[in-house]
Amino acid sequence: MLRVAICRPARLWFGVAETATTTARSRAYAILRHHDFNPGARQFRAIHLLILGAGLLAVALSSIDPLPKPVEKTLTAIIVLVSAVFLFEYLVRLWTAPEAARFAGLSPFRARLQWAMSARGLIGLLAVVPAFTLTTGTVEAQSDYSAIFCILWVLKLGLHAPAMGTLTRVISNERATLASVLIVFMIVLITAATATHLLEREVQKDLFGNIPAALWWAVVTLTTTGYGDVVPHTVGGKMVGSVVMVSGIVVLALMTGILATGFAEEERRREYLRVWDQVTKVPMFTELGTVTLSEIVSKLRVRHYPARFVVVRRDEPGDSMFFISEGEVEVRLPHGSVKLSQGGFFGEMALLDRLPRSATIATTLPTTLLVLYASDFYEVASHIPSLVEAVEKEARRRRAENEARLGSPGSRS
Ligand code: CMP
């Protein structure tokens, strides 16, 4: 969603009236926001990922020694080019920093300074260093420095990937549960290391002679890695090893379960907010009370489509209906076409009549739809009769219109 221009009194910023740049700046900010779903932002993320991938591949390949001179030159050129793109991105991010909600109330200069000093700003700046060092000849493409830049680029990807924010929140939400599993992990680890030290120290003095040395074996066994470089030889040591292996599986299963559940819950919460954001653009929903609305919000899914995308095809079975929260679609009927815009809905006939789709529907603009699957539709029908009555009424009107048009002499077939 593109943010609208923020009206502020004109203020001079490097000689340019602040209000004159605000609209362009807020648009650029919306495109750069890593959790935004507007088409521009999604296209930017795809291109950014491609450029980053090309850069990382070039850095990885440049570490092969020896390389033919032309290949080496091409790889250096790619690294410099990718860095130049990142420099441009850095400057745009710096320019748009005052748009961030967390810098609200700060002057543009202070907002930019704070962004430049943040982890994102610093990593963004360091990511462009390869271009300077390579062009000035300070560093060779194959040197170890390029590997460091490679790490910085991956970090840059991590900082802007939406999943990183989710991971941080999941770890923060589940920190108490994760901490208790970690404590169990530590107890098993130290007990195992101490027990094997006592049991194995006579037989393998160099590997189990002290507890820190035995810890290596305990970590490798408890994490189920099992390099096999250190193994207990005594019967007691082997018995301890068996218990540690089983405990390792239990601890890892617990960790996986906690993180997977946390991720699923976080995603459900995010989806709820995304749907809520879109639902407010559909008058049919805003007329419902808050409690009813929150019930339907949990059943809807947000889907973004580019222009000219076929959402449903005529004669295919239908398992869902759609509400348009942004954009426009074209209903291609046998006798002509109809356009539906924001607030409209389609796909209800297949659910109500349990028949195949009566028309093909394609987007004419980038469109955001709210999808209601058949199983949820029938549940909503029993809980929110007013909504389904409105849908049924419109479906009756559409059926009558289609029949009338098909029957009329000028109709297309
Ligand atoms: P369905 O048959 O499931 O899939 C195609 C959809 O096109 C249909 O549901 C309606 O939602 C929509 N549709 C059919 N006829 C019309 C019409 N005359 N005007 C607007 N939409 C229509």
Side-chain angles (χ1 to χ4, degrees):
M1 180 184 64
L2 287 179
R3 292 177 55 202
V4 278
I6 303 160
C7 294
R8 286 190 213 146
R11 201 184 318 155
L12 281 183
W13 180 74
F14 292 117
V16 183
E18 185 68 16
T19 43
T21 57
T22 310
T23 309
R25 200 177 69 188
S26 60
R27 283 201 185 129
Y29 179 71
I31 288 173
L32 291 177
R33 258 163 39 129
H34 60 90
H35 52 270
D36 222 306
F37 281 93
N38 70 67
R42 286 189 299 154
Q43 274 165 18
F44 168 76
R45 280 201 291 273
I47 295 169
H48 188 260
L49 209 64
L50 267 177
I51 295 174
L52 193 69
L56 286 174
L57 191 68
V59 177
L61 291 178
S62 67
S63 68
I64 301 172
D65 199 18
L67 269 177
K69 265 275 171 256
V71 178
E72 196 184 305
K73 276 193 175 158
T74 315
L75 292 176
T76 309
I78 294 175
I79 297 171
V80 172
L81 200 73
V82 171
S83 308
V85 174
F86 287 167
L87 175 63
F88 177 69
E89 183 205 342
Y90 175 82
L91 293 174
V92 179
R93 282 192 191 277
L94 189 67
W95 172 57
T96 59
E99 294 292 326
R102 67 198 161 114
F103 299 139
L106 293 183
S107 70
F109 175 77
R110 284 204 71 81
R112 287 184 184 111
L113 188 69
Q114 285 210 9
W115 180 82
M117 300 310 287
S118 69
R120 279 196 186 144
L122 291 174
I123 289 179
L125 186 65
L126 287 172
V128 300
V129 174
F132 295 111
T133 49
L134 287 172
T135 44
T136 54
T138 327
V139 157
E140 292 271 306
Q142 293 110 318
S143 73
D144 284 351
Y145 286 102
S146 18
I148 294 169
F149 300 138
C150 191
I151 292 171
L152 281 171
W153 285 356
V154 173
L155 265 182
K156 188 171 143 61
L157 172 72
L159 279 180
H160 294 293
M164 286 310 285
T166 313
L167 180 65
T168 319
R169 284 195 64 172
V170 168
I171 292 176
S172 161
N173 292 347
E174 305 296 333
R175 59 186 182 278
T177 333
L178 285 172
S180 50
V181 178
L182 274 177
I183 290 170
V184 174
F185 184 89
M186 293 305 290
I187 292 171
V188 179
L189 191 76
I190 293 167
T191 314
T194 313
T196 42
H197 159 67
L198 292 173
L199 293 162
E200 296 282 326
R201 64 183 163 180
E202 301 300 329
V203 192
Q204 303 185 72
K205 202 167 173 32
D206 49 337
L207 298 175
F208 291 95
N210 52 59
I211 294 175
L215 266 176
W216 168 247
W217 167 82
V219 171
V220 168
T221 312
L222 192 54
T223 55
T224 71
T225 309
Y227 288 130
D229 57 339
V230 185
V231 284
H233 287 169
T234 64
V235 176
K238 284 180 184 170
M239 282 168 72
V240 173
S242 311
V243 175
V244 174
M245 281 182 255
V246 175
S247 310
I249 294 170
V250 173
V251 169
L252 288 184
L254 275 174
M255 286 273 195
T256 315
I258 293 166
L259 288 176
T261 316
F263 259 104
E265 267 177 23
E266 188 59 25
E267 198 35 55
R268 195 180 49 78
R269 275 195 285 266
R270 277 170 179 250
E271 180 70 7
Y272 192 90
L273 290 179
R274 276 201 288 268
V275 175
W276 193 272
D277 206 28
Q278 298 298 327
V279 150
T280 51
K281 296 171 193 162
V282 182
M284 271 183 94
F285 294 131
T286 45
E287 284 158 15
L288 300 169
T290 320
V291 178
T292 322
L293 190 59
S294 66
E295 196 179 323
I296 193 158
V297 164
S298 60
K299 300 202 170 6
L300 293 165
R301 298 281 169 273
V302 180
R303 297 284 177 267
H304 303 276
Y305 295 100
R308 292 184 294 283
F309 185 91
V310 176
V311 183
V312 302
R313 280 180 203 282
R314 190 175 142 89
D315 292 332
E316 276 183 0
D319 65 346
S320 49
M321 72 167 291
F322 306 82
F323 298 87
I324 308 168
S325 66
E326 272 174 13
E328 189 187 65
V329 298
E330 184 184 48
V331 183
R332 295 174 192 159
L333 292 151
H335 53 75
S337 64
V338 184
K339 289 216 169 123
L340 299 174
S341 55
Q342 185 173 355
F345 61 85
F346 60 89
E348 77 293 351
M349 287 186 180
L351 302 191
L352 292 169
D353 306 339
R354 297 178 198 227
L355 285 173
R357 297 285 190 203
S358 59
T360 294
I361 300 186
T363 58
T364 54
L365 302 170
T367 301
T368 305
L369 299 175
L370 291 164
V371 188
L372 182 65
Y373 287 100
S375 52
D376 294 323
F377 176 80
Y378 299 122
E379 211 181 309
V380 167
S382 59
H383 287 119
I384 319 169
S386 62
L387 184 82
V388 180
E389 270 162 27
V391 170
E392 274 175 340
K393 193 173 160 204
E394 178 61 11
R396 275 197 298 277
R397 190 199 67 74
R398 287 174 179 178
R399 255 180 245 120
E401 183 184 282
N402 294 352
E403 278 160 21
R405 290 236 201 140
L406 270 177
S408 72
S411 67
R412 278 194 273 151
S413 60

